Amino acid sequence: MTAVTSPPPETPARIARGVAGSGPRRRRRVHPGDWLLPLLAVLAFVYLFVPIAYTIAFSFNDAPRANRVWQGFTLDNWREPCAAQGVCEAVATSLQVGLLATLVATVLGTALAIALVRYRFRFRATTNLLIFVPMATPEVVLGASLLTQFLNLGVPLGFQTVVIAHIVFCLSFVVVTVKARVATLDPALEQAAADLYAGPFQAFLRVTFPLLLPGIMAAALLSFALSFDDFIITNFNSGNVDTFPKWVYVAAVRGLPAEANVIGSAMFVIALLLVAIGRLASLRRRAG
Amino acid sequence: MAVAATGHVSGPGDPAAGGPPPPAERPGRAPYGLLAPGLLWLVAFFVAPIAVLFVTSLMVPVPGGDIGQFQPALDVGNYAQAITEYWQVFLRSFWYGLLATVFALLVGYPLAYVIAVRARGRPTLQQFMLVLVIAPFFTSFIVRTLAWRQILADEGPVVAALQAVYILPADGRLTATSIAVVAGLTYNFLPFMILPIYAALGRLDLRLVEAGQDLYANPFTTFLRVTWPLSLPGVVAGTLLTFIPASADYVNATLLGNPGTRMIGNVIDAQFFNVVDYPLASAISFVLMAAIVVLVAVYVRRAGTEELV
């Protein structure tokens, strides 16, 4: 790989300037990149947020059934987000699946990540491949293959099969995310803990784990987001159980009720708030 | 997934770095306790299902049996049918996937560059923009795709505006067209493009760019000869993370397209749930997976990065 990890040698031009060491910084010519790039970035953000703005706006639309044309402002949809049949059960299922899948995937994935970075063993390359391939497998294939297995084994489709399926695709993402964090850790820290008579378990709990925590949290968040948003794999393996995306997909056939907009908007706002709180907390911790 | 891109995870304690080898790294014996749970899960619920899928793809219907009853066989007829009957759908899926990938790269690269390079040194702004890239995930992607359907609808603002400036004929439309499907695919997988490129550009040493300028390269040449090659691992990861799910997606084709924009995911879904022809559906899935593996292998060779794993 071409990534540069160490500072490059000084270029002759820089050295020359350094020797000269006089005068203000060379004035840069203003070229199109200076204003064009921020403009493109803003346009990309607009593209990302147009449908979200639409979703939020139409959560206040006074048209509970076929939420297509603007009929007037109302707060009714927000007052009773569970008015549409099955929507809140579906959200509850999604949250449960997301939490369970995230918990299992994070524990299994963190263990795999530590093993892969810290140990050299014979089938390490195979293990890496086994973790990479599920990420490169299309969701339809992942969903279809699990479905055929569950059908063959006679496992009834439902909540459990959805959780099992979600853990599979969350696991790989957790491993990759945590691996990057483990690689930044200095093994000498654990050695220091051992020198201070900490057992391996204590060293892990008091030294390694706190240092890994940011990576683990990021992995867990990613895992939850992937699980909560998944439709295709869920649709193959859920039987009669509805998750929120599946409920929306089915309900949209008859015209999407405004409750879907309310839930979508609320999830968006809650996620942003959680991130903001986390950011504030870390800023305060650093300041204190 | 940002980190999937970086891929660059070397073990600690490079022998070249000198000094004693790091004590925590024990060569030889595998850490079975750490590996076993995760690997068992992957073998039981990824490797085994793929094997079952393959066995299923060779099955034939039980003679005189009900719909959905099949018996083991070694029949490659399903593969022949998958290819002869659906080769156009395969080509269309990969074409849409390719278009979505190119558009996502065109939209995503400048944004990733601004976040990683222009906002460098302003961590709060950088964090804020990163959160904005990930935030759409939390509004369900089905909800967002349905929002696009309304925005692009015949009575919606975009069609009216395009008709007003005669880009779109008076009876023209956007929903139920291939344009809407590709736009939806581009939209849905854009964050998967942005994050790996951001990760790669985040490691870009600006002194190299400066060196290019000092050597009197113009900004375009500097970008082409310095920035772009250094961001290539991120670009490769981002294009893969966009192309693979985009070409196998069926939600956008269902919600934003018409029967003529059907993608291979639609066919697999229908064969499983409507036609209940599991062997044919399995064969199509397998052809899809094989095609993607071949395309990805060729592409990664070409791009010259093999550090994704």
Side-chain angles (χ1 to χ4, degrees), chain B residues 3-28:
Chain B
V3 223
T6 69
H8 181 251
V9 179
S10 57
D14 221 323
E25 198 180 292
R26 294 161 206 137

Side-chain angles (χ1 to χ4, degrees), chain B residues 72-130:
Chain B
L74 283 175
D75 182 31
V76 290
N78 295 314
Y79 283 91
Q81 196 185 348
I83 292 167
T84 52
E85 214 168 298
Y86 297 109
W87 64 272
Q88 284 173 308
V89 187
F90 271 110
L91 285 184
R92 186 189 299 129
S93 304
F94 291 130
W95 175 235
Y96 286 178
L98 181 68
L99 286 176
T101 307
V102 171
F103 290 136
L105 182 61
L106 290 176
V107 177
Y109 197 102
L111 183 56
Y113 185 87
V114 167
I115 300 176
V117 178
R118 288 293 168 90
R120 196 178 283 184
R122 281 184 284 178
T124 309
L125 178 68
Q126 205 173 27
Q127 290 278 336
F128 176 68
M129 291 200 282
L130 267 184

Side-chain angles (χ1 to χ4, degrees), chain B residues 212-266:
Chain B
Q213 283 160 0
D214 285 351
L215 297 167
Y216 302 104
N218 63 33
F220 181 71
T221 315
T222 314
F223 174 78
L224 213 64
R225 304 286 289 273
V226 179
T227 312
W228 174 259
L230 288 176
S231 66
L232 212 53
V235 172
V236 171
T239 44
L240 290 182
L241 285 175
T242 309
F243 177 77
I244 295 169
S247 37
D249 179 79
Y250 65 88
V251 173
N252 285 282
T254 308
L255 297 178
L256 299 170
N258 61 49
T261 62
R262 197 165 59 134
M263 292 173 71
I264 200 67
N266 297 80

Side-chain angles (χ1 to χ4, degrees), chain A residues 1 7-8 11 14 17 26 47-49 51 54 108 118-120 138 142 144 149 152 176 180 191 222 229 249 267, chain B residues 1 3-4 8 11 23 25-26 28 37 46 49 52 132 138 140-141 150 183 187 205 207 210-211 214 248 254 272:
Chain A
M1 196 163 74
T11 64
R14 283 172 61 89
R17 252 192 295 155
R26 189 174 50 170
Y47 181 49
L48 273 174
F49 281 90
Y54 176 93
L108 298 185
R118 282 295 170 80
Y119 295 83
R120 298 280 169 277
L142 218 57
Q149 195 190 29
N152 270 316
V176 189
Q191 183 64 35
L222 176 65
D229 201 25
Y249 190 78
M267 283 305 299
Chain B
M1 65 226 87
V3 223
H8 181 251
E25 198 180 292
R26 294 161 206 137
F46 177 72
V52 172
L132 285 187
F138 291 95
S140 167
F141 97 101
Q150 297 306 320
Y187 176 81
D205 190 328
R207 285 173 297 190
E210 208 177 309
D214 285 351
T254 308
F272 261 106

